[in-house]
Amino acid sequence: MRIGESSFFSSQYVSNATNSVSSSAETGFSAILDEEEKPTFTFGDEEALETRKNEYEASQKAEKSASHDDIISKFLEYSDMTLAEKIRATYLDDHNLTEEQLAAMPEDERKAIEDAIQEAIKQQLGVDQDTGSSEEAIAV
């Protein structure tokens, strides 16, 4: 049996196979062309995109406004502090502590930090450390 006599290699089978390959290639290529000709957004998509953009801008504006209000409230709170309170707040901030964390500490650790804060206040206010009335002069 020769190759040409086989039904697998018959001219009819080869012709059908060639047509199906070329038609699938044309379908794929024409599909790509059709996709390129279509607009990427329809009117409904543009509205949805615009709505999402507006929602995002509104949330950013609200976040910025809240941040701005928070900064103002912190400034007003800080400006109402006495000098000793400002020194205390600075000391705690420098040591990455909050008043809540300080209050939750064991008594001996908290006392040591409170003493260090008192010393910082005395030093920055220039209070003579030898006088006994210096603690009464400093209100924390």
Side-chain angles (χ1 to χ4, degrees), residues 94-109:
D94 289 346
H95 290 85
N96 298 321
L97 291 171
T98 63
E99 289 289 345
E100 294 79 22
Q101 290 171 331
L102 184 63
M105 287 183 171
E107 185 66 30
D108 57 334
E109 287 181 37

Side-chain angles (χ1 to χ4, degrees), residues 45-55 57:
D45 289 339
E46 288 177 11
E47 282 184 9
L49 184 62
E50 187 68 26
T51 302
R52 287 181 57 204
K53 178 184 158 210
N54 291 339
E55 289 172 356
E57 289 174 350

